[in-house]
Amino acid sequence: MSPAAGRGAGGGSPATAGAGGGPARAGAGIPGRAGGVDPAGGVGGQASPDAGGDAYARLWAADPGRWAAAGAAWRGLTGLVDRRAAELEAAARALRGGWAGAAAGAAGGRIGALRSELTALAPAVIETDQVLAELAGRLHQARARLTEAVALADAGGVRLDRRGRASADPARAQPDAPAPVARVAAAVSAALALADAADREAAGRLDELTRAAGAGWVAAPPPWRPAPGAAPATVRSWWAGLTPAQRRWLVAREPELVGRLDGVPVAARDQANRLLVDRRREVLLAERRRLLDRLPRGPVELAGLARVEGALTGLDALAARLTGGGQPRAYLLGLDTGGEGRTVVALGDPDRADRVLTYVPGMTAGLADATGELGRAARVQARCAALDPTASTAAVLWLDYDAPDFLHEAVLPHQARDAGPALHRFQEGLRATHDGPPARQTVLGHSYGSLVVGTAARDHGLAADALVFVGSPGVGVDRADGLGLPAGEVWASTAPDDGIRLAPAPDELPRRVLRGLSPLAAVLTGRDDHALWFGHDPADPGFGGRTFPSGRHGHTGYWDPANPALDGMARVVLGR
């Protein structure tokens, strides 16, 4: 079984192939000739790129959604692979129970080999989905750029013919036109070049998978492995030195290692962690059975059952998002069902995006409500797309720390300090694995999550271009310049009716008592209305950063579509 591509986004519908199939090298995206469009062409008043004759029309006709659907169909084959592997394992058990001797040993060995081959196929199936989903995303971006080029032409009195060639329109020419013919031609050329690059890359990656289907999906890698917590640059160097077959071997045989290593590319981590979802679910089901078998059930067992049930519900909701074909594609970068549960999920591929948002949630966050927290990151991403359709933005939910569950935990900084090294490594990993020019990276913390972000930046440094704090009880420093970023890239917002404003600094409480006893105490004790529990309010101009407004939407309403704070967060991510 191997991946197959269709005939081109404008020249035929995406398709999948069965056993022995392979991708047609005629191009996976916008074929104006064999392998893709040719964006070379004249500018400066003569013509936009002809791209082999009809690439302009083909890009308009392209349907990125059909490529994404084709990828989802490939991803669905992982269930079939799992079922067939389970059937082979059952057959092997039956043989061992009723057949002995050399022939039985040979048959068992062959069944085991077939099962190994099936297991090795799973990462390739997921990789095919990734390739087609990325193609769909880049075609969508190319179409957005083409739309922008047409708007530029319309505003500047420039005519575009059916082949995308630009020329002055005498009937609409404007002496002071903001968009001369050359600019329109260049914009069309850039859109077609993006589509061509997407086509070439997708076709190349599918070709490699097809060759692997004949030569062998996997090959054992050298024995050395990076230690847990290794520097992302070290991990990236190790991974780059492996062959594609060795990488697939590691994904299939050691998904626990690959899935958690910062510095392994996002695509490989997603493949590995997806293979672990069912295993994690089985662990939770076993824990639930153990707790149900304990009679009588006391408070400890009841609390444990509630935790497990919440984690199962959250895991099932997350799995539905991973397999449901929703756009943008979700990448699973981390999953742990211990305790309240942890996960790291990206919407869109951070390794290929122009801008990357990392969102760190606050108190009570856990696996049970991970999809709800992911929805907040998705709203910022969607607003970024609305503000700039031509840019690609990935949004990451980073829930890889033990968030406080109760107020007596949330008033202490310990859990934020413990989270710092992991957040630092994750951001360094994003830098290490990113393809092309560095992305603009923004880290956003809400509530206690803002303390996590601030503490990590203060103690370890963060590979980030901007920090954003919303609904913050303080970020561990009293001045923006203590976070290691330019003050102009430290942003905050707190709603007028957010109760977090009522969390004064610990040493402010006795002062307030004294001031209530005597007016003279106000002079003796001093007063700082902007001192919060974990430091100076970052939304106060005196903190030294920058602010954006929020409406009266309380502590959790910063992502409400009607709240101007949503626009504020998106504009920071975009660098506006």
Side-chain angles (χ1 to χ4, degrees):
M1 187 179 297
S2 66
R7 296 190 298 275
S13 61
T16 59
R25 186 56 188 93
I30 309 297
R33 53 174 170 72
V37 303
D38 181 359
V43 294
Q46 285 76 36
S48 305
D50 190 17
D54 62 351
Y56 177 77
R58 285 178 179 271
L59 182 53
W60 278 123
D63 184 358
R66 298 180 74 180
W67 289 104
W74 274 101
R75 183 174 66 245
L77 292 177
T78 56
L80 177 61
V81 170
D82 290 342
R83 288 194 297 275
R84 294 293 182 263
E87 290 168 3
L88 287 171
E89 177 60 28
R93 284 197 302 269
L95 283 176
R96 289 192 295 269
W99 189 14
R110 180 56 180 152
I111 290 174
L114 287 172
R115 187 175 184 278
S116 295
E117 288 181 21
L118 277 173
T119 302
L121 175 61
V125 169
I126 300 172
E127 187 175 349
T128 304
D129 166 42
Q130 292 172 336
V131 172
L132 296 178
E134 289 163 12
L135 173 62
R138 295 175 75 186
L139 289 182
H140 181 82
Q141 187 181 356
R143 282 171 55 95
R145 291 190 179 186
L146 203 56
T147 300
E148 192 173 72
V150 171
L152 196 65
D154 188 59
V158 175
R159 179 171 52 200
L160 284 170
D161 67 15
R162 292 183 178 182
R163 299 166 73 90
R165 292 175 297 198
S167 60
D169 184 352
R172 297 189 302 125
Q174 302 176 23
D176 299 322
V181 171
R183 285 184 60 195
V184 173
V188 172
S189 179
L192 296 179
L194 177 59
D196 176 60
D199 170 50
R200 291 175 183 274
E201 180 177 341
R205 292 173 69 186
L206 291 174
D207 278 351
E208 194 279 323
L209 282 167
T210 301
R211 290 191 297 270
W217 292 113
V218 298
W224 186 83
R225 307 284 187 271
T234 300
V235 174
R236 183 70 179 108
S237 178
W238 164 71
W239 190 260
L242 301 171
T243 67
Q246 290 171 337
R247 295 169 189 162
R248 290 190 195 100
W249 190 98
L250 285 164
V251 169
R253 305 290 182 85
E254 300 182 24
E256 297 267 8
L257 171 72
V258 175
R260 70 170 182 264
L261 278 177
D262 295 311
V264 169
V266 163
R269 292 182 68 173
D270 176 59
Q271 294 164 26
N273 283 305
R274 282 173 181 262
L275 297 179
L276 294 172
V277 172
D278 286 343
R279 299 185 199 177
R280 299 288 191 251
R281 194 171 194 279
E282 287 301 321
V283 169
L284 287 173
L285 290 173
E287 177 67 6
R288 183 172 67 178
R289 288 193 295 268
R290 185 186 68 81
L291 290 169
L292 288 173
D293 287 343
R294 296 187 65 173
L295 295 173
R297 299 187 198 116
V300 173
E301 287 76 19
L302 292 174
L305 276 172
R307 179 192 64 78
V308 170
E309 293 291 355
L312 277 168
T313 300
L315 183 59
D316 288 345
L318 181 59
R321 176 62 180 88
L322 293 170
T323 59
Q327 293 299 312
R329 188 188 189 279
Y331 291 77
L332 184 59
L333 307 184
L335 181 63
D336 184 353
T337 54
E340 300 299 323
R342 304 182 183 192
T343 190
V344 181
V345 186
L347 299 176
D349 185 352
D351 285 348
R352 297 169 178 273
D354 303 319
R355 291 142 177 123
V356 180
L357 166 68
T358 301
Y359 163 54
V360 183
M363 181 177 167
T364 74
L367 189 56
D369 60 347
T371 52
E373 296 291 359
L374 185 62
R376 292 178 172 179
R379 290 188 198 108
V380 180
Q381 182 187 42
R383 189 57 61 93
C384 287
L387 293 171
D388 187 357
T390 67
S392 59
T393 302
V396 182
L397 166 65
W398 190 85
L399 179 47
D400 196 18
Y401 82 106
D402 180 21
D405 294 317
F406 304 101
L407 189 59
H408 72 272
E409 296 174 327
V411 297
L412 300 173
H414 308 324
Q415 285 156 282
R417 282 202 300 263
D418 292 344
L423 182 57
H424 165 79
R425 280 195 308 273
F426 179 75
Q427 288 298 119
E428 291 290 333
L430 291 180
R431 282 276 193 252
T433 61
H434 192 269
D435 291 335
R440 174 177 169 83
Q441 294 189 174
T442 301
V443 185
L444 163 66
H446 172 237
S447 191
Y448 193 87
S450 70
L451 178 64
V452 173
V453 174
T455 301
R458 180 195 69 196
D459 295 346
H460 308 282
L462 282 179
D465 301 287
L467 302 180
V468 183
F469 307 114
V470 293
S472 176
V475 299
V477 298
D478 288 325
R479 294 281 303 173
D481 56 16
L483 296 170
L485 269 72
E489 290 290 3
V490 176
W491 295 82
S493 182
T494 300
D497 59 342
D498 189 336
I500 206 74
R501 292 177 177 271
L502 303 178
D507 60 357
E508 181 67 13
L509 293 176
R511 294 178 184 177
R512 290 187 179 184
V513 173
L514 289 174
R515 286 197 294 269
L517 295 175
S518 169
L520 182 61
V523 178
L524 298 176
T525 63
R527 180 173 182 171
D528 183 357
D529 290 335
H530 301 288
L532 298 178
W533 194 263
F534 294 114
H536 195 94
D537 182 359
D540 171 50
F543 183 74
R546 302 172 72 180
T547 64
F548 53 91
S550 173
R552 301 183 67 85
H553 291 268
H555 187 59
T556 60
Y558 295 95
W559 295 268
D560 189 291
N563 194 340
L566 183 58
D567 257 10
M569 290 184 280
R571 290 182 183 278
V572 175
V573 172
L574 292 171
R576 294 185 175 185

